């Protein structure tokens, strides 16, 4: 998957409106929209797109979208 | 005295968790079983743990609706007419509404709900059911009468079982078939271990503290199911029995 597509889909999916720019360096945990429901949504989103199940412990360690991409596996993305 | 001596009982979801414990316990108190699951080695493991003889195991995807009837009827021909059906097979899902879609609803309803109704249809046929009466139990969930974030699909699939059991209780009463739902709170099984790992840590902690008596054990559910399958419960039909360590009374 292209990183830009991933970002667009995630942006729409999480219904992010609180920041102007949404990029790999965006700090997820500071977003107004990043609550427990958003975490469940990310688990479902990653499962659907990459057939991989993240645990809440793994997600607790991420700060930026770059971290999320690394967690999923950089090799699964194109620039 | 509680016993299931001489009773033939079909149990779905017997390869794991609640279904496995129910199978082991029912066999211990005298029942002969048809046990159903998809995972060969885990189902064999249940079979090896059963007391008594002549049990049948069926490796079967219960959403394979085309072949369900022929496979089930054949097993019943071998074992004899059925006195009890316990539907424990089910899948869990914690997915927010915005991430749900028709495919996910279909999957949940196929395993949790439609399979229970289809199996009931097949088992309640005259040629398959004990003419002196029988007991059907669907394992629903407290989530069938309550709500929680991320549970729109799961709750609705479990709630549908409750209303279906009431309609079925009325319709099948002339055949002396009783139909009830069991609604467990959180019981430690493969399913819930997986679910807890996926939940945000605070949500998982919150669920635990909401159970005044702590999490349940599979044997707690097996005890209730054995009672509902036995003649001790012969006047109980069309109802839902909550068994949740106090989760829903607050
Ligand atoms: N544990 C709880 O806290 C809890 C609370 C309330 C309600 N419940 C309900 O209780 C039931 C049992 O839960 P559990 O915790 O014991 O779950 P579990 O350990 O995950 O066992 C689920 C069982 O369902 C079977 N199954 C799933 N899909 C199937 C399919 N398509 N065809 C045939 N079999 C299928 C599995 O068989 P294979 O693995 O062989 O495929 C397994 O035997 C479920 O309906 C669940 O919703 C559980």
């Amino acid at each position: 998957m292209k990183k830009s597509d991933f970002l667009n889909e995630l942006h729409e999916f999480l219904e992010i409106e609180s920041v102007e720019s949404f990029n790999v360096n965006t700090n997820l945990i500071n977003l107004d929209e990043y609550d427990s429901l958003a975490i469940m949504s990310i688990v479902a989103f990653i499962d659907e797109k990459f057939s991989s199940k993240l645990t809440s412990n793994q997600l607790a360690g991420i700060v930026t979208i770059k971290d999320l991409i690394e967690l999923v596996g950089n090799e699964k993305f194109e620039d | 005295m509680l016993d299931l001596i001489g009773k033939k009982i079909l149990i779905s979801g017997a390869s794991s968790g609640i279904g496995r414990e129910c199978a082991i316990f029912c066999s211990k108190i005298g029942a002969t079983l048809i046990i159903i699951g998809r995972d060969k080695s885990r189902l064999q493991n249940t079979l090896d743990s059963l007391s008594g003889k002549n049990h049948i195991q069926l490796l079967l995807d219960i959403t394979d609706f085309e072949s369900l009837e022929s496979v089930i009827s054949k097993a019943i021909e071998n074992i004899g007419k059925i006195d009890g059906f316990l539907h424990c097979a089910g899948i869990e899902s914690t997915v927010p509404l915005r991430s749900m879609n028709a495919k996910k609803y279909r999957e949940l309803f196929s395993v949790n709900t439609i399979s229970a109704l289809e199996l009931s249809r097949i088992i309640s046929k005259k040629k398959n059911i004990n003419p002196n009466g029988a007991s059907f139990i669907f394992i629903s969930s407290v989530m069938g009468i309550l709500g929680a974030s991320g549970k729109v699909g799961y709750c609705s699939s479990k709630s549908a079982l409750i209303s279906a059991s009431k309609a079925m209780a009325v319709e099948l009463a002339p055949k002396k078939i009783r139909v009830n739902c069991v609604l467990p709170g959180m019981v430690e099984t493969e399913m819930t271990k997986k679910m807890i790992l996926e939940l945000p840590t605070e949500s998982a902690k919150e669920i635990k503290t909401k159970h005044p008596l702590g999490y349940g054990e599979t044997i707690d559910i097996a005890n209730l199911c054995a009672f509902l399958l036995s003649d001790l419960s012969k006047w109980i039909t069309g109802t839902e029995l909550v068994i949740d360590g106090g989760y829903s009374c607050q």
Side-chain angles (χ1 to χ4, degrees), chain A residues 32-44:
Chain A
D32 291 348
E33 291 88 355
Y34 198 69
D35 55 11
S36 62
L37 209 57
I39 295 178
M40 284 182 212
S41 298
I42 292 178
V43 172

Side-chain angles (χ1 to χ4, degrees), chain A residues 13-15 35-41 43-44 48 53-57, chain B residues 94-96 98-99 101 104 149-150 194 196-203:
Chain A
F13 195 68
L14 296 178
E15 301 184 310
D35 55 11
S36 62
L37 209 57
I39 295 178
M40 284 182 212
S41 298
V43 172
E48 190 166 322
K53 287 257 181 206
L54 300 180
T55 67
S56 59
N57 266 350
Chain B
T94 309
V95 175
R98 63 182 168 208
S99 319
N101 55 42
K104 290 181 185 164
S149 257
K194 207 174 110 231
I196 285 179
L197 280 178
E198 285 166 21
L199 280 180
T201 325
E202 320 95 77
S203 315

Side-chain angles (χ1 to χ4, degrees), chain B residues 96-167:
Chain B
L97 180 65
R98 63 182 168 208
S99 319
M100 286 299 292
N101 55 42
K103 183 169 167 260
K104 290 181 185 164
Y105 290 119
R106 244 179 250 126
E107 192 191 352
L108 271 170
F109 272 78
S110 289
V111 184
N112 292 356
T113 321
I114 299 174
S115 65
L117 309 185
E118 274 296 274
L119 284 166
S120 301
R121 176 182 65 77
I122 296 163
I123 296 167
S124 62
K125 285 190 170 182
K126 257 189 188 158
K127 66 176 171 107
N128 290 333
I129 198 88
N130 183 339
N132 298 320
S135 168
F136 291 1
I137 304 168
F138 305 148
I139 305 292
S140 171
S141 165
V142 278
M143 284 301 143
I145 50 168
L146 300 172
S149 257
K151 294 284 186 194
V152 171
Y154 185 73
C155 286
S156 53
S157 75
K158 290 297 185 181
S159 174
L161 275 180
I162 298 173
S163 38
S165 71
K166 291 182 192 298

Side-chain angles (χ1 to χ4, degrees), chain B:
Chain B
M1 261 282 281
L2 176 66
D3 77 68
L4 297 173
I5 295 168
K7 291 201 188 289
K8 316 272 186 339
I9 293 167
L10 183 144
I11 302 181
S12 72
S15 51
S16 176
I18 292 173
R20 166 178 288 164
E21 188 76 48
C22 287
I24 294 172
F25 188 64
C26 289
S27 74
K28 210 182 259 177
I29 58 172
T32 310
L33 308 177
I34 299 175
I35 54 170
I36 303 178
R38 283 174 309 182
D39 187 291
K40 195 171 178 206
S41 69
R42 288 192 289 126
L43 191 65
Q44 182 65 44
N45 188 316
T46 302
L47 187 71
D48 294 341
S49 314
L50 298 182
S51 313
K53 287 185 305 211
N54 303 327
H55 308 293
I56 296 179
Q57 62 167 328
L58 290 182
L59 265 186
L60 183 64
D61 184 328
I62 51 167
T63 63
D64 189 356
F65 298 123
E66 302 288 304
S67 57
L68 209 52
E69 178 143 13
S70 63
V71 181
I72 299 290
S73 300
K74 205 164 156 224
I76 297 177
E77 243 171 62
N78 287 333
I79 205 168
K81 292 191 175 191
I82 293 294
D83 304 274
F85 164 41
L86 177 51
H87 182 64
C88 298
I91 48 174
E92 193 276 330
S93 129
T94 309
V95 175
L97 180 65
R98 63 182 168 208
S99 319
M100 286 299 292
N101 55 42
K103 183 169 167 260
K104 290 181 185 164
Y105 290 119
R106 244 179 250 126
E107 192 191 352
L108 271 170
F109 272 78
S110 289
V111 184
N112 292 356
T113 321
I114 299 174
S115 65
L117 309 185
E118 274 296 274
L119 284 166
S120 301
R121 176 182 65 77
I122 296 163
I123 296 167
S124 62
K125 285 190 170 182
K126 257 189 188 158
K127 66 176 171 107
N128 290 333
I129 198 88
N130 183 339
N132 298 320
S135 168
F136 291 1
I137 304 168
F138 305 148
I139 305 292
S140 171
S141 165
V142 278
M143 284 301 143
I145 50 168
L146 300 172
S149 257
K151 294 284 186 194
V152 171
Y154 185 73
C155 286
S156 53
S157 75
K158 290 297 185 181
S159 174
L161 275 180
I162 298 173
S163 38
S165 71
K166 291 182 192 298
M168 215 184 275
V170 176
E171 187 170 324
L172 298 183
K175 285 184 163 176
K176 298 194 209 90
I177 301 174
R178 301 182 290 110
V179 189
N180 293 289
C181 277
V182 167
L183 282 56
M186 190 84 140
V187 177
E188 292 194 79
T189 65
E190 294 306 310
M191 175 185 280
T192 47
K193 270 185 222 149
K194 207 174 110 231
M195 180 186 112
I196 285 179
L197 280 178
E198 285 166 21
L199 280 180
T201 325
E202 320 95 77
S203 315
K205 269 194 201 138
E206 204 183 306
I207 297 178
K208 186 147 201 179
T209 53
K210 277 190 181 163
H211 285 76
L213 293 181
Y215 288 161
E217 296 173 25
T218 51
I219 188 68
D220 298 323
I221 311 301
N223 285 329
L224 176 58
C225 291
F227 166 71
L228 286 174
L229 287 166
S230 80
D231 299 334
L232 293 180
S233 59
K234 71 181 177 51
W235 206 47
I236 302 180
T237 195
T239 196
E240 62 267 22
L241 285 108
V242 173
I243 170 164
D244 67 354
Y247 179 82
S248 60
C249 71
Q250 301 162 88

